[in-house]
């Protein structure tokens, strides 16, 4: 199923609003037109009543003949141009008048109500006569008993309003599609900037992660452009680190592989049994070194891509279980290892990453502490975090190199133990993921290394 375009979605959200607005305006226009037409026609009825009074007042006041007289319509002959105007004839049929004197009709039009319909109260009245609605105005003449009564069919007004609405409807019928087309063009024009932004991103090569220009973007699109640039910057830095890591990993793996190749060649060229055993021992050592390096590389990759899963972690139990895993090594090297701290110490963090981090720290402490040496693990509460300190009595790290040892594949020239130079790099990267702090110092007994790990409290 094809997805709808942004232009179409915006259009179909704006178009109903425009249509509803036109309908509402039309309703207001209808009410306003009806009200104004009623006012005009009512004013005309008042004027007609006064004109009739001026025309008939002498006969109404002084005539002795009280016989009702009908005023005939104008005979529209073919010689009269008005005969061709059917609207004028219809207009005349829609009006009537009656002149009353002392409650009796004296003059009336051919369209007037029958005498059984009494004259209406003073002012305006609506009534139904022969299934048609009429608007009637009665004008009582003071102190005379004379009432002038004029009326017209309400349908006349309704017809006029309908004609006005029809005259408005047909232009709107043409105007609505034109408005819709103009809205469509306006939306397309407004989205041209987004289309240009999409085109810039789509036409870039995979290696081009430079920032897109955002200077000409509208203010509403600036956050989008800046977010894209931030994403491109993060991708660029990530790819740079990955390439650098790959280059360093390849360089580090080349050395043990070259050593294994050389030892195999030496093994193939010797017949001395003692020498063969020595070469095989070196092969095992080189293989172990390569295996350790690969494990460290996998750990480092896991730190970068492992999704965080925070959960409550008991620090004392975690440290105790990690020490138990290397208990055989501790026993064989006759190390004096102690764990001090409250068993209730708890943080909310990713348990697997934390265990890998403290595992690397304990591995380094065991590796670089001489046989019979001392390792002390202490858990201590601070204001906003729990402090895990791991102190050993090994060779230690000079103060001027304590920042550099967190770099990947960095190794001290003074260290005698084998290593890949990734242990503390893994610790630093993991600490960043867990929002923890890592600090190197000297133990209280004056030599060796003390690693302080700060974890935010729960």
């Amino acid at each position: 199923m094809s997805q709808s375009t942004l232009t179409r979605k915006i259009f179909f959200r704006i178009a109903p609003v425009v249509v509803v607005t036109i309908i509402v305006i039309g309703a207001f226009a209808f009410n306003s037109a009806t009200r104004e037409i009623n006012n005009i026609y009512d004013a005309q009825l008042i004027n007609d009543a006064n004109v009739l009074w001026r025309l008939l007042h002498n006969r109404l006041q002084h005539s002795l003949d009280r016989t009702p007289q009908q005023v005939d319509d104008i005979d529209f002959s073919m010689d009269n141009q008005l005969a061709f105007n059917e609207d004028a004839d219809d207009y005349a049929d829609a009006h009537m008048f009656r002149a009353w004197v002392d409650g009796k009709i004296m003059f009336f039009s051919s369209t007037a109500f029958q005498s059984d319909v009494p004259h209406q109260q003073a002012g305006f009245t609506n009534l139904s006569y022969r299934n048609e609605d009429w608007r009637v105005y009665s004008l009582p003449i003071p102190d005379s008993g004379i009432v002038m009564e004029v009326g017209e069919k309400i349908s006349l007004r309704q017809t006029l309003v309908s004609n006005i609405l029809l005259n408005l409807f047909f232009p709107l019928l043409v105007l609505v599609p034109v408005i819709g087309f103009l809205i469509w063009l306006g939306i397309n024009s407004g989205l041209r900037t987004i289309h240009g932004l999409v085109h810039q991103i789509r036409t870039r090569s995979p290696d081009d992660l430079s920032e897109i220009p955002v200077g000409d973007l509208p203010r509403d699109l600036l956050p989008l452009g800046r977010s894209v640039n931030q994403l491109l910057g993060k991708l660029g830095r990530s790819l740079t680190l990955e390439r650098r890591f790959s280059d360093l990993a390849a360089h580090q793996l080349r050395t043990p592989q070259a050593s294994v190749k050389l030892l195999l060649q030496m093994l193939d060229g010797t017949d001395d049994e003692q020498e063969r055993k020595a070469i095989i021992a070196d092969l095992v050592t080189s293989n172990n070194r390569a295996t350790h390096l690969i494990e460290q590389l996998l750990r480092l990759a896991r730190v970068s891509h492992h999704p965080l899963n925070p959960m409550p972690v008991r620090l004392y139990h975690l440290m105790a279980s990690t020490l138990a895993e290397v208990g055989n090594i501790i026993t064989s090297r006759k190390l004096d290892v102690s764990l001090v701290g409250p068993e209730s110490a708890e943080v909310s963090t990713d348990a697997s990453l934390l265990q890998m981090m403290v595992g690397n720290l304990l591995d380094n402490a065991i590796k670089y502490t001489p046989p019979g040496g001392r390792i002390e693990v202490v858990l201590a509460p601070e204001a906003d975090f729990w402090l895990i300190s791991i102190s050993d009595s090994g060779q230690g790290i000079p103060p001027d190199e304590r920042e550099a040892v967190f770099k990947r594949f960095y190794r001290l020239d003074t260290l005698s133990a084998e290593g890949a130079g990734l242990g503390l790099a893994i610790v630093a990267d993991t600490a960043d993921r867990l929002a923890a702090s890592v600090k190197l110092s000297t133990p209280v007994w004056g030599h060796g290394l003390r690693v302080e790990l700060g974890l935010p409290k729960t």
Side-chain angles (χ1 to χ4, degrees), residues 31-242:
N31 290 331
S32 177
T34 302
R35 184 172 58 254
E36 292 300 323
I37 288 173
N38 285 332
N39 291 336
I40 292 173
Y41 273 68
D42 285 348
Q44 185 62 42
L45 287 178
I46 296 173
N47 185 63
D48 291 345
N50 283 278
V51 170
L52 282 173
W53 165 244
R54 290 300 176 187
L55 292 174
L56 299 175
H57 74 280
N58 286 328
R59 299 178 63 180
L60 290 173
Q61 287 179 324
H62 303 103
S63 174
L64 299 177
D65 186 5
R66 300 293 182 175
T67 304
Q69 300 181 33
Q70 176 180 329
V71 178
D72 295 330
D73 294 337
I74 298 175
D75 185 14
F76 293 120
S77 64
M78 293 301 295
D79 295 333
N80 194 326
Q81 294 298 320
L82 291 177
F84 295 99
N85 192 338
E86 295 182 359
D87 291 339
D89 192 31
D90 293 340
Y91 183 82
D93 290 340
H95 286 75
M96 75 87 191
F97 74 87
R98 295 188 297 181
W100 299 75
V101 177
D102 297 329
K104 295 182 180 180
I105 298 176
M106 291 295 296
F107 295 94
F108 62 94
S109 65
S110 61
T111 57
F113 307 149
Q114 296 297 322
S115 59
D116 57 343
V117 178
H119 67 76
Q120 304 301 307
Q121 62 183 3
F124 289 99
T125 305
N126 291 340
L127 62 88
S128 179
Y129 179 72
R130 292 182 180 179
N131 297 325
E132 289 189 291
D133 294 328
W134 287 77
R135 178 77 164 171
V136 178
Y137 175 71
S138 296
L139 174 65
I141 307 301
D143 302 326
S144 65
I146 299 173
V147 176
M148 306 302 298
E149 187 179 63
V150 295
E152 67 181 6
K153 294 179 181 179
I154 295 179
S155 60
L156 183 68
R157 306 181 181 197
Q158 295 173 342
T159 301
L160 180 58
V161 173
S162 300
N163 290 336
I164 293 175
L165 288 180
L166 286 176
N167 291 332
L168 290 175
F169 175 75
F170 288 109
L172 284 177
L173 197 63
V174 177
L175 189 60
V176 167
V178 174
I179 293 175
F181 179 70
L182 293 177
I183 291 175
W184 186 275
L185 290 181
I187 294 173
N188 273 325
S189 176
L191 295 179
R192 193 172 299 157
T193 305
I194 296 180
H195 295 158
L197 185 63
V198 173
H199 178 73
Q200 289 187 52
I201 299 174
R202 182 182 297 168
T203 55
R204 288 195 172 203
S205 65
D207 295 330
D208 185 7
L209 296 177
S210 59
E211 293 187 351
I212 59 174
V214 296
D216 296 333
L217 290 179
R219 184 172 58 184
D220 296 339
L221 291 180
L222 273 178
L224 174 62
R226 289 169 180 168
S227 298
V228 171
N229 284 336
Q230 289 177 0
L231 177 61
L232 291 175
K234 291 178 181 179
L235 288 175
R237 289 189 294 271
S238 177
L239 288 176
T240 300
L241 291 175
E242 293 295 335

Side-chain angles (χ1 to χ4, degrees), residues 406-421:
F406 290 109
K407 297 180 181 178
R408 296 174 181 180
F409 302 110
Y410 185 89
R411 280 183 52 80
L412 296 176
D413 295 334
T414 58
L415 294 181
S416 57
E418 294 290 343

Side-chain angles (χ1 to χ4, degrees), residues 282-449:
D282 290 340
L283 278 171
V284 172
T285 302
S286 295
N287 181 71
N288 290 339
R289 187 184 305 118
T291 302
H292 178 70
L293 177 59
I294 292 172
E295 289 176 352
Q296 293 289 72
L297 291 175
L298 291 175
R299 288 182 180 178
L300 195 59
R302 181 185 173 193
V303 171
S304 302
H305 301 92
H306 177 76
L308 293 180
N309 183 25
M311 63 178 63
V313 178
R314 291 291 185 89
L315 295 180
Y316 189 92
H317 296 163
L318 177 71
M319 299 304 298
S321 63
T322 306
L323 286 171
E325 291 176 1
V326 293
N328 292 334
I329 301 176
I330 292 173
T331 302
S332 65
R333 293 175 62 87
K334 299 180 180 180
L335 299 175
D336 178 15
V337 179
S338 62
L339 172 60
V340 180
E343 295 187 13
S344 61
E346 184 178 289
V347 295
S348 178
T349 187
D350 190 287
S352 58
L353 287 183
L354 178 58
Q355 186 167 19
M356 183 175 64
M357 179 167 57
V358 297
N360 272 275
L361 293 175
L362 290 174
D363 182 62
N364 280 350
I366 294 171
K367 184 187 300 181
Y368 297 111
T369 299
R374 177 184 179 186
I375 298 176
E376 183 183 76
V377 180
V378 179
L379 305 178
E382 298 292 339
D384 299 319
F385 59 92
W386 278 98
L387 181 65
I388 303 175
S389 63
I390 301 175
S391 305
D392 64 65
S393 58
Q395 186 175 349
I397 298 176
D400 58 344
E401 293 191 82
R402 287 175 182 170
E403 292 292 332
V405 292
F406 290 109
K407 297 180 181 178
R408 296 174 181 180
F409 302 110
Y410 185 89
R411 280 183 52 80
L412 296 176
D413 295 334
T414 58
L415 294 181
S416 57
E418 294 290 343
L422 288 174
L424 288 178
I426 293 174
V427 170
D429 288 354
T430 308
D432 287 340
R433 290 296 308 278
L434 300 181
S437 61
V438 182
K439 179 182 177 183
L440 302 182
S441 61
T442 303
V444 293
W445 50 76
H447 64 279
L449 181 66

